[in-house]
Amino acid sequence: LVQGGANVKSTVYNLTAATYGEIYVASGATPQTLTTANQFYAVTAFTTDGLSNGITPVAASDKITVNVAGDYLVQFFITFTDSNNRTFTFRCFNSTTNSAYPQTVVKSHSHSSDPMFVAVSAFVHVDAGDDLIVQAACSTSATAITISDANFALLLLKAD
């Protein structure tokens, strides 16, 4: 409802020209060992390139390559299992610049072999040609996790 004399401004986004991309795994069953305590390792569970436009998803290498510099919405969710009583940390990592995005860090503590779930949604700046990955670390050494379902996606919000 707009009253007389009110100024209304709206923005229309053309999502058909959006820049986005994703990689994912569904029903994964391959364990991944996190060898050293508190050391981050690339999550290597991704199996499928999802939808994309202007971004290069490379599930075979567990990464997303950015082709347009700018501010992005980065999102990932991971469902995983391990044995018991460990703290896991996940984050988005720029493997080209060797830098982490601290706003993407999420932790989860396991109490049983029941599936655990983590999710992140954050804004990051990325340069063209950079590769982004998801990393995981565990509070104890030689820990195997099995990622059953995961999605890692980027959406360009504003190009440089």
Side-chain angles (χ1 to χ4, degrees):
L1 174 67
V2 177
Q3 295 184 6
N7 293 323
V8 177
K9 180 181 178 184
S10 66
T11 303
V12 177
Y13 294 97
N14 180 1
L15 293 182
T16 60
T19 299
Y20 56 88
E22 69 175 341
I23 56 177
Y24 65 91
V25 59
S27 302
T30 304
Q32 176 180 349
T33 300
L34 308 177
T35 308
T36 304
N38 301 311
Q39 172 69 42
F40 280 96
Y41 295 91
V43 170
T44 59
F46 297 102
T47 59
T48 306
D49 295 338
L51 297 174
S52 67
N53 184 51
I55 287 180
T56 307
V58 190
S61 298
D62 301 292
K63 68 180 183 178
I64 297 176
T65 300
V66 171
N67 300 321
V68 177
D71 296 332
Y72 283 82
L73 172 64
V74 59
Q75 296 182 309
F76 66 82
F77 78 81
I78 297 174
T79 301
F80 67 98
T81 56
D82 87 302
S83 49
N84 191 4
N85 202 25
R86 296 180 175 95
T87 299
F88 292 89
T89 305
F90 295 86
R91 70 182 182 187
C92 180
F93 188 79
N94 186 322
S95 61
T96 303
T97 63
N98 199 34
S99 58
Y101 296 102
Q103 67 271 39
T104 67
V105 173
V106 63
K107 292 185 178 188
S108 180
H109 188 83
S110 63
H111 296 286
S112 69
S113 58
D114 292 337
M116 303 298 298
F117 178 80
V118 295
V120 163
S121 182
F123 302 118
V124 300
H125 185 273
V126 186
D127 291 327
D130 286 358
D131 292 328
L132 272 60
I133 63 173
V134 176
Q135 291 184 318
C138 182
S139 59
T140 61
S141 61
T143 300
I145 63 170
T146 301
I147 296 175
S148 57
D149 299 285
N151 181 284
F152 176 36
L154 294 175
L155 172 66
L156 177 65
L157 301 173
K158 182 180 73 98
D160 284 352

